[in-house]
């Protein structure tokens, strides 16, 4: 997908990030792409490819159902046409954020996530203790016709004890600074599908 780096959507995300550290765009993914990605995600779930998500990484990775109840599968270029279009869009967003905010974002990692009814993810920051590369988190939602009473909101904890709840409506994208915005996923009444991702900077550890 060829999309100009100075597209107004990208410009809004950059200015929101610069001024308050997060951005919500209700219309980000084209609706046809949202539907194809949802179908792709459900098919992977049906084939048993989605695995219980872990917290932490490497030797410290643990599946702790009390913390998060989603099942995930990492996405890679070449897996499917809709995944490639999604990754292409996120690559344009990466370049655009680097151009306007000088963030030095080097790459992007992303997984499908499926929360069965009742699943949640307790309050956390998207930064591992032993890996500080994750800089900007993104969540693209894939469910059609999500109603507020379906639950499953993404709750952002903002400065000054404020909270902001995002209804996970298909096509919407939320972007936030990974180490600055604590957040949680509230339990949903229905299956909740998303693509979560992280733009990463070069690590500060030894080479
Ligand atoms: C995560 C996360 C939020 C969401 O996967 O780290 O916080 O709305 N996801 O799915
Ligand atoms: Mn998170």
């Amino acid at each position: 997908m060829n999309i100009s780096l100075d597209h107004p959507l990208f410009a809004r995300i950059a200015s929101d990030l610069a001024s308050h550290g997060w951005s919500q765009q209700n219309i980000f993914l084209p609706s046809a792409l949202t539907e194809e990605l949802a179908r792709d995600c459900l098919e992977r779930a049906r084939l048993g490819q989605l695995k219980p998500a872990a917290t932490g990484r490497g030797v410290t990775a643990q599946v702790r159902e009390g913390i998060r109840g989603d099942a995930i599968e990492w996405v890679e270029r070449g897996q499917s046409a809709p995944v490639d279009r999604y990754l292409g869009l996120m690559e344009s967003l990466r370049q655009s954020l680097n151009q306007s905010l000088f963030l030095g974002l080097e790459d992007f990692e992303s997984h499908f996530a499926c929360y069965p009814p009742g699943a949640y993810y307790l309050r956390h920051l998207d930064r591992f203790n032993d890996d500080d590369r994750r800089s900007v988190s993104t969540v693209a939602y894939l469910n059609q016709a999500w109603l507020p009473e379906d639950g499953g909101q993404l709750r952002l904890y903002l400065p000054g004890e404020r909270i902001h709840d995002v209804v996970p409506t298909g096509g919407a994208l939320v972007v936030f600074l990974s180490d600055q915005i604590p957040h949680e996923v509230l339990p949903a009444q229905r299956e909740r599908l998303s693509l979560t991702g992280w733009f990463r900077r070069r690590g500060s550890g030894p080479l």
Side-chain angles (χ1 to χ4, degrees):
M1 196 175 316
N2 270 328
I3 175 161
S4 146
L5 295 190
D6 53 15
H7 191 285
L9 261 176
F10 294 161
R12 278 209 296 276
I13 293 170
S15 79
D16 286 349
L17 277 182
S19 64
H20 45 273
W22 65 279
S23 180
Q24 175 178 351
Q25 301 302 322
N26 289 331
I27 303 176
F28 182 79
L29 294 180
S31 54
L33 179 57
T34 305
E35 277 170 40
E36 285 171 45
L37 288 166
R39 239 180 285 134
D40 198 346
C41 182
L42 288 170
E43 179 65 5
R44 289 159 191 260
R46 199 182 63 78
L47 294 171
Q49 288 170 213
L50 270 57
K51 301 286 188 258
T55 55
R57 94 184 294 155
V59 288
T60 62
Q62 290 180 48
V63 175
R64 282 183 284 184
E65 278 163 26
I67 296 178
R68 63 185 294 189
D70 56 328
I72 67 162
E73 188 186 5
W74 293 94
V75 296
E76 275 164 38
R77 207 166 274 283
Q79 267 175 347
S80 73
V83 162
D84 282 355
R85 285 179 63 205
Y86 159 72
L87 291 175
L89 257 177
M90 301 312 280
E91 172 60 16
S92 300
L93 176 58
R94 183 185 74 83
Q95 291 176 19
S96 174
L97 292 178
N98 279 345
Q99 235 174 44
S100 49
L101 300 178
F102 308 104
L103 287 176
L105 305 172
E106 286 211 317
D107 65 7
F108 182 66
E109 58 175 5
S110 178
H111 61 61
F112 279 114
C114 173
Y115 288 72
Y120 54 83
Y121 193 160
L122 295 181
R123 176 174 167 150
H124 65 280
L125 276 175
D126 284 351
R127 180 68 62 106
F128 299 119
N129 293 332
D130 56 351
D131 184 343
D132 60 2
R133 286 175 298 164
R134 287 182 172 180
S135 298
V136 177
S137 304
T138 65
V139 195
Y141 296 104
L142 304 178
N143 283 96
Q144 293 304 317
W146 193 274
L147 300 171
E149 54 264 40
D150 292 330
Q153 292 90 345
L154 167 65
R155 174 160 290 176
L156 303 178
Y157 292 91
L158 305 174
E161 315 239 318
R162 286 177 306 130
I163 57 168
H164 174 77
D165 282 349
V166 178
V167 175
T169 311
L173 181 80
V174 176
V175 183
F176 54 90
L177 299 178
S178 305
D179 62 339
Q180 287 184 26
I181 312 269
H183 54 282
E184 74 175 300
V185 178
L186 303 180
Q189 309 303 315
R190 37 182 287 222
E191 189 171 58
R192 178 189 192 272
L193 308 177
S194 61
L195 271 163
T196 305
W198 295 273
F199 293 115
R200 301 188 303 182
R201 267 197 286 250
R202 195 191 299 275
S204 59
L207 289 178

